[in-house]
Amino acid sequence: MLALWLPHYFFNVSQQTLILTLTLFAILWYTWETRRMQLAVARQTSELIYNRRLSILPKLSVGFTRQNVMFPPHVVDCLELRNIGNGAAVNIAIDDISLRYEQNAFAIIRFDRFVFLEPNKDNSNTQKFAHLRIFIDNEVPAPEDPIEFATWSIPSDFRSNPIAFVGKYFREQKITLVVRFQDVDGYSYSQSVTM
């Protein structure tokens, strides 16, 4: 229909109307092409941002170790973090773990925090680790009844050895450890590990 109408339209219109119509079509085509270019630039920009974030993305490996501490001198359980990603991990924190180990007894396992952990590279001269101390205590306040206190408190053998406590009471149970950290640009990440 348009092919039949256009020749009749162009033949019967004035020169000004013809020029304005051609200008309208040129502006519409130019607008369409400009929009396509804007979408392509936006797509390229988002890919560059994504690649930049990948280039500085930290990734932590988690393990347990025992370390000697000087004050007071003894061996403590630690969570060992190693940055195997591409960028530095900043403001590293591990969520507390709340566990029920007896009928009326709940334990909370807490971890130290760490400020900055560089990535370990293949050509690095030194290995970089973060050793975060592990603390264990009771989650709820002590009961008033002395009879309940014996089942409420964490056995003394485990107060300085949280890993043995978890091994004894939660051998068959899976525990999720959530590590939260940021990259150098301030983007926050969380990484979970099932023990």
Side-chain angles (χ1 to χ4, degrees):
M1 297 270 296
L2 189 61
L4 292 173
W5 177 76
L6 278 176
H8 177 68
Y9 173 77
F10 288 131
F11 188 71
N12 292 328
V13 295
S14 67
Q15 190 176 10
Q16 283 183 335
T17 308
L18 180 63
I19 292 173
L20 287 174
T21 304
L22 291 174
T23 305
L24 173 67
F25 284 124
I27 289 173
L28 289 175
W29 176 79
Y30 179 76
T31 304
W32 175 259
E33 289 297 320
T34 304
R35 175 70 178 143
R36 283 183 49 213
M37 287 190 312
Q38 285 177 339
L39 290 174
V41 167
R43 200 169 32 251
Q44 287 176 350
T45 304
S46 66
E47 285 179 20
L48 286 173
I49 291 171
Y50 177 75
N51 287 333
R52 163 83 166 89
R53 288 187 63 195
L54 278 181
S55 72
I56 60 167
L57 180 69
K59 183 176 181 183
L60 301 178
S61 70
V62 179
F64 291 99
T65 184
R66 303 198 83 191
Q67 297 290 317
N68 291 322
V69 291
M70 301 301 260
F71 303 104
H74 64 287
V75 176
V76 294
D77 284 333
C78 291
L79 185 71
E80 182 177 86
L81 299 177
R82 182 176 180 209
N83 187 352
I84 58 174
N86 295 324
V90 182
N91 298 330
I92 303 167
I94 291 98
D95 290 355
D96 294 345
I97 301 172
S98 182
L99 303 167
R100 181 182 188 152
Y101 64 96
E102 294 287 343
Q103 185 172 351
N104 294 326
F106 296 87
I108 187 165
I109 299 176
R110 297 176 293 110
F111 303 88
D112 268 346
R113 295 175 179 263
F114 206 75
V115 177
F116 181 82
L117 183 59
E118 288 184 64
N120 283 291
K121 299 290 185 185
D122 292 335
N123 59 356
S124 179
N125 294 335
T126 59
Q127 293 293 314
K128 299 162 193 88
F129 296 99
H131 293 105
L132 283 63
R133 286 194 58 187
I134 304 171
F135 304 96
I136 186 167
D137 53 29
N138 292 98
E139 182 177 21
V140 293
E144 294 177 13
D145 188 358
I147 296 171
E148 291 179 10
F149 187 82
T151 60
W152 168 84
S153 66
I154 294 170
S156 59
D157 332 349
F158 299 119
R159 289 194 189 150
S160 62
N161 194 348
I163 301 303
F165 175 80
V166 171
K168 177 176 182 191
Y169 288 101
F170 304 100
R171 185 172 298 278
E172 304 299 322
Q173 186 179 0
K174 291 183 179 178
I175 300 171
T176 302
L177 188 71
V178 179
V179 183
R180 299 184 190 281
F181 53 93
Q182 296 175 330
D183 63 15
V184 291
D185 284 343
Y187 290 103
S188 297
Y189 301 94
S190 67
Q191 182 177 326
S192 61
V193 178
T194 302
M195 300 186 292

